[in-house]
């Protein structure tokens, strides 16, 4: 079913608020097999809202609006919907009782203008809102549907979970299954080139690639009569994709790389320690972002200066003098030192230049990642050729995660 | 000037990505005095993009597009713009040289389809993109303007800062000056209540408050005939604001708190060390995000488990047994230990529960920040009453920065 989403609110046009409601609804609707075709944002202006709503209804069969259901003068979504759908507003006694009881429960006085929130378009299906005072509702005309939700994300989420998803099921005859594959180490154009034989002939399942900082995702989706058929079609396509780009895939379940690493470590009952120079704690921070990280990371060393590397990690001064502080040898010594000091199963380290400055004839974006575990010690060199501190630090961090992920995979 | 923003990309309609570009552009355009009236999101489909672009051009005088400038098959923004603006595409040799040099600098092979990115609409003003391979461009017809930016936020931000804002100034007849004041420790409604006498009578300068995670910003803007007048008006209003909420202000120049702290440390020639438990390196990472951090942070300790606190920081086992590991006493001992071990002027520490779990009768969101410097050692307790790991970790990190900022201010 072709769908449009309209978010109403001048604060969105000011850029004060990001339109997270559209993303929330889109994700949920796509999961259910709806075809979301347009997002619109319009301010608190009845003329423009009416114009956009009429356009959306002429282009698509379902229009979902968020925002503009509040009690104040600038909230006019309901009035516009009533006009366009030819469903005049009436005071709904049940809604009025709900609004009154909302305030009573909280020991707050109900303002007179909250009565506005109990007016509903004639013939609307009404959804009670226990997370706020504005009920949601759905109203139809000529086989087209309009559903209105309040703007605060908390209320939208509550309503969608409580009644929205169930109500929308009536519109779907096909079942949709999709999976998101995450890759790292291959650019989007290269990825698409390799996958082209699969993408070019796609009808169902569909394949879409998407680049985000430092990595790429592949979304595989299928719509079939039964969920079993859709799942089987997706599963088979994933196998084909793995055959082509398997070595770059780090997750088949849309997990972030730090989550993948922490979950693998926990599953194997292994511990990790880190020794960071140029990432300055960002690697450890991304590991400890994951709930349960305390079971796998016991210690991290942030060794910005040479002396810290010597004192905290036992790196040999002669190594630093001989190879320079940014070198494979020092990276390895840092990892070995961290592993020994922390008593961890695996240790990973980094020494390098994130930018804007570099030294000893090296360039920003040049770094060495060291690693140490039971049976091996080694280092890899990175060279991003970018003088972008933020980008480099994020890239370094991701590559450290990859190194640990590879070590864990090799153990299998 | 009435403006529409169109974001192109099926990933937005899938809800995989939130449309942060529209918010970024809206905020910047509003600052400059543009009137943003509509946001649109449309997928990678040339027919629908053309339809939306034609509508936007009939409603508004300036249309800014983001996304769909990539090298692959589904990137079609340029082709649609060329058609609608009647400006056929040609291969721009300068753009081609830039794309080639982008890959050469990174020692990467240029894929054949990257040549597509060097095609430009005839007569377009071209903006070089040093953050990626897709140049931005502006093209006009019948006094209407279309500007196209690539979709990755990093590239959009780079381009807008480098050339976008300057280019857009030509459309404004008044001069706009604005400053962003950052505060921490006061909620948005309280801030607005205190500032109400200034906000209520606002015509110019305007004052707008805006809440983001854990902090609030105040934007003061003035549009006058000359920049001098606008600057003076903003300056005077800032003094009035400082008179009302000065104690919560940490920056008058839209600097992040980590930047403020690093710059103050450098100015005073002081060094910092950190000992982190529940933030797991996030504090040190935010300090080292700032260029030049190597001058101020020499070491950081990530001491997740008890033994790490004892071995790395010299915390007394009897302290832990007596007061429990999450306590003011242990936080103080961690800060003292970090300061001693690192030989830094100031040390800051944290021990607590980010969630989802807590222990020893404490709740997620409960933590202690310790600090140590030449003349004082102390600790403060935090209690967010939230079981939201991400939110808590960010809040803890900000409060650690505040503690260091306060110590630095007290030294003045």
């Amino acid at each position: 079913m072709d769908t449009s989403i309209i978010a109403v609110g001048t604060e969105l046009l000011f850029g004060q608020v990001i339109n997270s409601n559209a993303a929330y609804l889109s994700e949920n609707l796509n999961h259910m097999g709806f075809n979301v075709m347009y997002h619109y944002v319009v301010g608190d202006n009845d003329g423009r809202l009416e114009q956009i709503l009429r356009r959306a209804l002429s282009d698509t069969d379902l229009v979902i609006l968020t925002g503009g259901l509040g009690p104040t003068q600038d909230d006019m979504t309901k009035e516009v919907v009533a006009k366009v759908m030819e469903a005049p507003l009436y005071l709904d006694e049940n809604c009025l009782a709900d609004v009154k009881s909302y305030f009573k429960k909280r020991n707050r006085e109900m303002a007179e203008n909250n009565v506005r929130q109990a007016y509903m378009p004639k013939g609307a299906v009404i959804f009670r809102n226990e997370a706020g005072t504005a009920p949601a509702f759905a109203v139809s005309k000529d086989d087209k549907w309009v559903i209105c939700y309040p703007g605060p994300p908390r209320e939208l989420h509550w309503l969608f979970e409580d009644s929205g998803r169930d109500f929308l099921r009536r519109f779907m005859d096909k079942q949709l299954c999709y999976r998101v594959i995450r890759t790292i180490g291959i650019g989007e154009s290269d990825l698409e080139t390799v996958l082209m034989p699969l993408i070019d002939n796609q009808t169902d399942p569909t394949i879409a690639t998407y680049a985000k900082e430092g990595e790429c995702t592949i979304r595989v989706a299928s719509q079939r009569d039964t969920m079993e058929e859709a799942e089987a079609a997706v599963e088979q396509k994933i196998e084909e994709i793995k055959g082509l780009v398997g070595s770059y895939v780090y997750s088949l379940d849309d997990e972030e790389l730090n989550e993948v690493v922490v979950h693998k470590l926990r599953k194997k009952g292994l511990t990790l320690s880190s020794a960071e120079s140029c990432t300055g704690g960002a690697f450890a921070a991304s590991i400890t972002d994951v709930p349960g990280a305390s079971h796998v990371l016991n210690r991290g060393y942030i060794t910005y200066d040479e002396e810290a590397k010597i004192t905290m990690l036992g790196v040999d001064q002669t190594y630093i003098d001989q190879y320079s502080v940014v070198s494979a040898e020092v990276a390895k010594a840092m990892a070995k030192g961290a592993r020994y000091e922390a008593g961890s199963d695996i240790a990973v380290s980094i020494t390098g230049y994130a930018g804007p400055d570099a030294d000893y004839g090296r360039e920003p974006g040049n770094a060495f990642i060291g690693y140490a575990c039971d049976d091996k010690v080694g280092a890899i060199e990175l060279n991003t050729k970018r003088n972008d501190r933020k980008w480099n630090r994020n890239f370094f961090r991701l590559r450290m995660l990859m190194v640990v992920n590879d070590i864990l995979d090799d153990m299998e």
Side-chain angles (χ1 to χ4, degrees), chain A:
Chain A
M1 191 177 198
D2 291 347
T3 306
S4 303
I5 296 170
I6 304 176
V8 186
T10 303
E11 69 280 8
L12 293 158
L13 296 177
F14 281 146
Q16 291 173 321
V17 179
I18 293 182
N19 190 6
S20 63
N21 286 348
Y24 171 82
L25 286 170
S26 289
E27 194 174 6
N28 278 288
L29 289 163
N30 273 286
H31 284 196
M32 296 180 73
F34 286 83
N35 183 20
V36 178
M37 294 178 75
Y38 304 96
H39 294 174
Y40 300 92
V41 176
V42 62
D44 301 312
N45 174 294
D46 50 0
R48 287 197 284 277
L49 175 55
E50 182 180 337
Q51 176 200 32
I52 292 285
L53 177 57
R54 288 193 190 277
R55 282 180 184 175
L57 280 167
S58 86
D59 291 338
T60 55
D61 299 320
L62 170 65
V63 180
I64 302 188
L65 292 105
T66 61
L69 298 183
T72 62
Q73 286 290 326
D74 61 356
D75 293 302
M76 59 211 22
T77 297
K78 216 154 48 184
E79 285 69 15
V80 171
V81 169
K83 181 179 173 193
V84 171
M85 300 302 278
E86 295 170 10
L89 297 177
Y90 71 98
L91 181 62
D92 187 281
E93 292 300 335
N94 290 328
C95 290
L96 185 61
D98 281 349
V99 176
K100 281 183 177 165
S101 105
Y102 182 93
F103 283 96
K104 199 170 172 190
K105 262 191 206 159
R106 285 160 183 76
N107 277 325
R108 281 163 51 195
E109 194 76 34
M110 188 180 92
E112 191 50 46
N113 55 10
N114 281 105
V115 174
R116 282 191 67 196
Q117 302 191 286
Y119 278 83
M120 285 288 131
K122 201 179 154 192
V125 182
I126 298 167
F127 308 108
R128 297 179 71 163
N129 177 5
E130 291 182 18
T133 53
F137 60 89
V139 56
S140 74
K141 190 188 133 216
D142 307 334
D143 280 335
K144 304 256 176 176
W145 280 86
V146 170
I147 306 180
C148 293
Y149 285 106
R154 205 177 53 87
E155 296 185 38
L156 167 64
H157 298 183
W158 190 91
L159 279 156
F160 194 86
E161 290 301 326
D162 186 61
S163 56
R165 189 176 285 114
D166 277 346
F167 180 78
L168 286 166
R169 284 219 176 89
R170 71 174 61 190
F171 299 112
M172 300 318 298
D173 44 356
K174 294 230 175 191
Q175 299 293 317
L176 180 120
C177 167
Y178 83 91
R179 295 267 295 274
V180 174
I181 303 173
R182 287 172 174 258
T183 70
I184 203 159
I186 181 169
E188 194 190 6
S189 5
D190 290 341
L191 187 63
E192 209 177 279
T193 306
V194 179
L195 294 178
M196 198 49 85
L198 303 182
I199 292 174
D200 252 359
N201 300 312
Q202 66 179 326
T203 45
D204 183 290
T206 57
I207 298 172
T209 61
Y210 166 60
K212 49 176 254 177
E213 299 239 311
E215 49 180 294
C216 277
T217 59
I218 309 165
R219 182 177 175 280
V220 185
S222 173
Q223 260 183 302
R224 301 287 171 101
D225 289 333
T226 69
M227 187 52 92
E228 289 67 34
E229 284 175 63
E231 280 172 357
V234 167
E235 211 50 57
Q236 195 201 316
K237 192 58 71 178
I238 285 178
E239 288 306 311
E240 291 174 36
I241 292 169
K242 275 163 66 183
L244 292 171
V245 294
S247 60
Y248 301 105
V249 172
Y250 73 79
S251 168
L252 296 173
D253 301 302
D254 202 15
E255 274 190 322
E256 301 275 350
L257 190 47
N258 56 344
E259 294 170 327
V260 171
V261 165
V262 168
H263 295 158
K264 281 185 189 166
L265 283 164
R266 283 199 74 172
K267 213 169 147 192
K268 291 178 194 288
L270 299 174
T271 56
L272 174 70
S273 62
S274 58
E276 301 177 67
S277 189
C278 52
T279 50
F283 171 81
S286 80
I287 290 287
T288 56
D289 260 340
V290 183
S294 55
H295 296 282
V296 302
L297 187 103
N298 41 6
R299 296 190 197 184
Y301 302 86
I302 301 165
T303 55
Y304 236 54
D305 63 12
E306 286 189 12
E307 206 191 296
K309 292 175 182 75
I310 296 165
T311 325
M312 290 167 78
L313 302 170
V315 174
D316 207 320
Q317 176 79 61
T318 58
Y319 263 58
I320 296 176
D321 295 341
Q322 190 177 346
Y323 301 106
S324 112
V325 71
V326 174
S327 63
E329 286 72 16
V330 169
K332 282 190 275 188
M334 287 169 69
K336 277 205 301 199
R339 183 166 181 261
Y340 175 79
E341 291 290 335
S344 62
D345 298 302
I346 302 171
V348 62
S349 70
I350 189 160
T351 173
Y353 299 106
D357 305 315
D359 220 333
Y360 304 109
R362 296 197 179 270
E363 286 182 352
N366 188 201
F368 292 86
I369 293 175
Y371 55 88
C373 57
D374 205 20
D375 56 347
K376 59 190 167 195
V377 174
I380 60 164
E381 183 170 3
L382 306 177
N383 238 321
T384 67
K385 304 272 180 192
R386 291 202 195 207
N387 193 353
D388 180 336
R389 184 179 183 87
K390 203 173 160 185
W391 197 94
N392 284 335
R393 279 164 54 93
N394 186 51
F395 184 82
F396 293 167
R397 179 185 69 79
L398 283 172
R399 291 303 296 262
M400 290 172 80
L401 288 169
M402 271 176 78
V403 165
V404 179
N405 193 46
D406 288 347
I407 289 173
L408 291 166
D409 285 347
D410 284 351
M411 288 180 175
E412 267 159 18

